[in-house]
Amino acid sequence: MMEHSRTNCKLVLFKFLHGFILLCMSTCLESTTLCNLTLLGNESDRLALLDFKKRITVDPFNAMSSWNHSIHFCSWVGVSCHRSTKRVLMLNLKSKKLVGSIPSSIGNLTYLTGINLSDNNFHGEIPPEMGRLQSLQYLNLSHNSFHGKIPTNLSQCTQLRLLDLKANRIMGSIPNQLSSLLNLKYLWLYGNNLTGTIPPWIGNFSLLSGLHLGRNNFQGSIPNELGHITGLEEFLVHLNDLSVA
């Protein structure tokens, strides 16, 4: 009986140790996988930033000089990262007098929550790949020389709180796809070459505080639906060809 009891104890201990070893191996594998994914993500971010740097043709303040291999990209001028994951969260190069364009690889910075390139001389079109930045809350491309149309893919950035494209050369109408941006607090399109009518669906933006549509080529009437925005504090539509319905 004693021998049988010892055998059972050894069997239970063996099963326990076997299970513990399997659990440790599984945890290590999961940890290694997460680590590898993080490293891959970090490399993707680094390459996207370097691609962005390649598109800069004029940099009078040498803002991009720190963007090199001698320091981690999270320490580059204008780049802010998550403290633990080291993924890029913010790109802020405001008022650096930069001349260049935005590459499509900007869409690979998938953890971005904010972009501020205002008061520079960026040109070309706004890449539709920005629609991949589904965590983006703040997009300020104002006071540049962007042309072309507003990308319809921005409709996928449903977390946007601010969309500021004022003082560029953007043309075409406001895409109906942007009706999905229900979290917008500020929609600033002032001073472009936008045409068409003011979409009535903007009246569904219940959180909207600022709406700047002045200095464009909008026609038709001001939609009554805009009266539904009870928190609207700034409403600029002057210097268009508008009428009151």
Side-chain angles (χ1 to χ4, degrees), residues 198 200 219-226 241-245:
I198 297 176
Q219 295 181 333
S221 60
I222 299 173
N224 290 327
E225 288 83 354
L226 298 187
D241 188 14
L242 295 168
S243 60
V244 179

Side-chain angles (χ1 to χ4, degrees), residues 47-65:
L47 292 175
L49 291 172
L50 290 174
D51 195 26
F52 182 92
K53 180 183 179 180
K54 288 179 184 177
R55 304 300 180 97
I56 304 299
T57 57
V58 177
D59 179 12
F61 297 154
N62 292 318
M64 314 302 291
S65 61

Side-chain angles (χ1 to χ4, degrees), residues 58-214:
V58 177
D59 179 12
F61 297 154
N62 292 318
M64 314 302 291
S65 61
S66 67
W67 290 36
N68 57 61
H69 301 294
S70 63
I71 56 176
H72 193 275
F73 62 78
C74 289
S75 298
W76 294 354
V77 168
V79 177
S80 300
C81 295
H82 190 279
R83 182 174 297 179
S84 57
T85 65
K86 304 301 182 184
R87 300 300 300 269
V88 179
L89 296 181
M90 175 68 77
L91 184 60
N92 184 359
L93 292 167
K94 175 184 178 181
S95 303
K96 302 295 185 184
K97 297 191 181 298
L98 298 172
V99 178
S101 59
I102 301 179
S104 60
S105 56
I106 191 78
N108 293 335
L109 297 170
T110 50
Y111 279 71
L112 271 178
T113 60
I115 299 175
N116 188 351
L117 302 179
S118 63
D119 194 22
N120 285 288
N121 194 17
F122 283 94
H123 52 78
E125 297 188 4
I126 300 171
E129 286 79 7
M130 278 196 173
R132 297 174 55 190
L133 307 177
Q134 297 184 14
S135 297
L136 200 63
Q137 299 178 25
Y138 179 98
L139 178 59
N140 188 346
L141 304 179
S142 64
H143 296 281
N144 281 285
S145 299
F146 289 108
H147 63 260
K149 298 182 177 182
I150 300 175
T152 59
N153 285 3
L154 285 180
S155 61
Q156 299 174 40
C157 303
T158 55
Q159 300 304 310
L160 271 178
R161 305 290 194 272
L162 177 141
L163 177 57
D164 188 354
L165 306 179
K166 66 177 177 282
N168 280 284
R169 301 173 184 172
I170 299 168
M171 57 190 296
S173 59
I174 300 177
N176 285 326
Q177 289 86 343
L178 298 193
S179 61
S180 63
L181 303 182
L182 296 174
N183 288 307
L184 275 180
K185 292 192 68 175
Y186 304 98
L187 178 58
W188 293 339
L189 304 177
Y190 182 94
N192 282 284
N193 299 313
L194 293 168
T195 55
T197 59
I198 297 176
W201 46 256
I202 291 179
N204 296 327
F205 292 172
S206 59
L207 301 177
L208 207 61
S209 177
L211 179 60
H212 295 185
L213 303 176

Side-chain angles (χ1 to χ4, degrees), residues 14-27:
F14 174 78
K15 288 182 177 180
F16 173 78
L17 289 174
H18 180 69
F20 180 75
I21 292 170
L22 288 177
L23 178 62
C24 288
M25 290 177 65
S26 175
T27 302

